């Protein structure tokens, strides 16, 4: 559609307060790839702090997940992460001030037929598979 977007997703809204910092260390120019699931229902993109975001196009729900070595035991279930932008934060939340802008996932890929995805974080390639 040439007059307006068909769909819009808020990917990095929590970084709005960090735009000056991102500009000063050239992170403002980072390009995070997007990838679609084989059934076209989900979209995935990378973020800072080795987070990656997944959006369900039908339900409009989103999840933030983390690719880290702590999650690398077989059969580990990834727990959704939440970024807190200010005020009091809950125990499981991470403050936007604590995000590491040097850890980033710029490349993501989704298997065309299976629910398997790959994310590249710094010098690691993480492969995840749904338990379904």
């Amino acid at each position: 559609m040439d007059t307006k977007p068909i769909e819009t997703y808020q990917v990095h809204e929590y970084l709005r307060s960090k735009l000056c910092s991102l500009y000063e260390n050239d992170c403002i120019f980072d390009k995070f790839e997007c990838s679609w699931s084989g059934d076209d229902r989900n979209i995935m993109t990378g973020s800072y702090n080795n987070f990656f975001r997944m959006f369900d196009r039908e339900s409009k729900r989103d999840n933030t997940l983390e690719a880290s070595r702590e999650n690398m035991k077989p059969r580990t279930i990834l727990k959704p992460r939440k970024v807190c932008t200010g005020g009091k934060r809950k125990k499981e939340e991470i403050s936007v001030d604590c995000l590491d802008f040097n850890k980033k996932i710029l490349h993501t890929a989704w298997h065309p037929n299976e629910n398997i995805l790959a994310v590249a974080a710094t010098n690691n390639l993480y492969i995840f598979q749904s338990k379904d």
Side-chain angles (χ1 to χ4, degrees), residues 25-38:
N25 64 18
D26 285 341
C27 287
I28 198 82
F29 303 109
D30 287 335
K31 294 179 181 148
F32 297 96
E33 291 180 353
C34 292
S35 56
W36 275 254
S37 60

Side-chain angles (χ1 to χ4, degrees), residues 1 17 53 72:
M1 181 173 267
S17 65
R53 309 274 326 270
M72 290 292 81

Side-chain angles (χ1 to χ4, degrees), residues 23-57:
Y23 182 77
E24 288 170 358
N25 64 18
D26 285 341
C27 287
I28 198 82
F29 303 109
D30 287 335
K31 294 179 181 148
F32 297 96
E33 291 180 353
C34 292
S35 56
W36 275 254
S37 60
D39 62 4
D40 203 34
R41 180 179 171 164
N42 297 285
I43 300 172
M44 173 176 55
T45 189
S47 187
Y48 296 106
N49 210 66
N50 280 357
F51 288 169
F52 59 101
R53 309 274 326 270
M54 299 177 74
F55 300 90
D56 185 315
R57 297 179 65 209

